[in-house]
Amino acid sequence: MDSADQFRFTHIPHPAPVSVAQRTELLANPGFGRVFTDHMAVVRYKEGQGWHNPTIEARAPIALDPAAAVLHYAQEIFEGMKAYRAADGGVVMFRPDANARRFRQSAERMAMADVPEALFLEAVRELVKTDRDWIPSGESASLYLRPFMIANEAFLGVKPSSEYLFIVIASPVGAYFSGGAVSVWVSEDYTRAAPGGTGAAKCGGNYAASLLAQREAKNQKCDQVLFLDAAEHRWIEEMGGMNIFFVMDDGTLVTPPLGGTILPGITRDALLTLARDKGLTVREEGYSIDQCYEDAASGRLKEAFACGTAAVVTSIGRFRGHRGEIVIGAGNGADPVTEGLREALIGIQRGQRPDPYGWVQRVD
């Protein structure tokens, strides 16, 4: 039953798509997450009926009852993934099957309806095929895809919803950061997740909880925020939407273990594989903020970088917090291990390098 044939999408033509001239103008400098394509994929779920009526239709506002469960109890999950212009001019996606699996895991944690992987993948592919002309060209450009699911049953009792909307929208994007190494504020007053919580699920509440700390980071002239563990405020976990890696003077990579409080990043997982295949020693283990400061001062810590679908791989130049500021390496992003991993990853994503892992899937 879980097959693409079961989920054939009906295409409803857009009555007034963006003109070619206007689209070209928008794609010249799309920014990040502010420009959207003409269409969206929509599938509905109702208890007893299952997933039904899959359509590709004009992107438009969603009609919700004021008592819809998502507005009151935050039953909502999402994914972030990208489609690229490949070196040969075709269209590819990077590890969409991994996004489909993580989406199901998030749904389970949030007591939401299960979205079969075949449905997830078909929705994404059909939208990319329909709006492929929106995929921008350029090294940092891509089509960012946002699959999400919301609970839309109208009720005010605290229970899992019996109705859901699964939707995919798309946004042509450029680079997430403007370039160079980023600065990071170490949050010691706020935490992102706790054991037994929703830290490993990709749900909106995790990001809402990070916004106050992110605002604090901006007030401190930093680009991003770093969260520590909830119990001791000692162990480094992840950033405001990205995983984190450290490179030691012997070339060893260190990254915090997942353990249920950290989102299992797909970019993180790919980098672990690439690093090991490059012969680098990789350790997934606890790394304290005190040790980080000590290692930066002694020179043992040579590089640090953030990674995620939006940011890809971004060098960290400095950490700042209540205990002062440290500079990582030269502080300017000229980091050989980080850059080598970034080039290897991007090369595979865009079809410029061989893909021995089967990560890249063609859409056309």
Side-chain angles (χ1 to χ4, degrees), residues 60-81:
I62 303 168
L64 282 178
D65 191 286
V70 65
L71 302 177
H72 302 272
Y73 308 119
Q75 266 196 301
E76 180 271 353
I77 59 172
F78 67 96
E79 274 298 322
M81 51 200 299

Side-chain angles (χ1 to χ4, degrees), residues 5-237:
D5 289 339
Q6 181 189 359
F7 305 114
R8 292 196 177 276
F9 279 72
T10 299
H11 286 248
I12 303 173
H14 196 300
V18 172
S19 69
V20 173
Q22 186 180 0
R23 185 176 66 226
T24 300
E25 183 179 351
L26 290 169
L27 292 181
N29 185 23
F32 198 99
R34 296 191 176 275
V35 175
F36 297 93
T37 68
D38 289 313
H39 298 89
M40 62 184 184
V42 181
V43 195
R44 298 179 180 275
Y45 176 92
K46 189 169 185 177
E47 202 169 274
Q49 186 177 359
W51 292 104
H52 59 280
N53 194 29
T55 61
I56 300 294
E57 58 190 66
R59 181 181 174 274
I62 303 168
L64 282 178
D65 191 286
V70 65
L71 302 177
H72 302 272
Y73 308 119
Q75 266 196 301
E76 180 271 353
I77 59 172
F78 67 96
E79 274 298 322
M81 51 200 299
K82 288 179 178 178
Y84 304 89
R85 291 278 181 198
D88 62 2
V91 177
V92 297
M93 290 190 294
F94 182 72
R95 304 186 70 183
D97 52 327
N99 291 97
R101 286 193 298 273
R102 189 171 66 182
F103 197 75
R104 295 184 76 173
Q105 293 162 1
S106 294
E108 181 178 6
R109 177 62 184 86
M110 301 299 289
M112 301 176 75
D114 176 67
V115 177
E117 291 177 24
L119 172 58
F120 180 99
L121 293 170
E122 192 68 9
V124 170
R125 289 192 190 104
E126 286 299 308
L127 182 60
V128 172
K129 288 178 183 178
T130 302
D131 283 346
R132 60 175 296 153
D133 290 339
W134 283 90
I135 304 175
S137 301
E139 181 184 344
S140 299
S142 59
L143 185 66
Y144 186 84
L145 302 164
R146 173 51 60 85
F148 65 98
M149 177 165 55
I150 61 173
N152 65 326
E153 181 184 359
F155 74 101
L156 295 179
V158 182
K159 71 175 185 66
S161 177
S162 63
E163 297 180 34
Y164 296 93
L165 283 175
F166 170 52
I167 299 175
V168 187
I169 58 175
S171 173
V173 298
Y176 189 77
F177 291 114
S178 59
V182 298
S183 57
V184 176
W185 174 256
V186 180
S187 178
E188 299 191 45
D189 300 316
Y190 305 104
T191 55
R192 175 188 170 274
T198 60
K202 200 165 177 67
C203 61
N206 292 343
Y207 295 80
S210 75
L211 296 180
L212 185 59
Q214 183 63 44
R215 186 170 70 186
E216 183 181 41
K218 293 293 183 185
N219 290 339
Q220 296 292 334
K221 311 301 182 185
C222 290
D223 303 295
Q224 259 293 326
V225 63
L226 176 69
F227 290 103
L228 307 179
D229 73 292
E232 299 181 69
H233 291 268
R234 175 187 176 195
W235 301 100
I236 292 170
E237 292 211 326

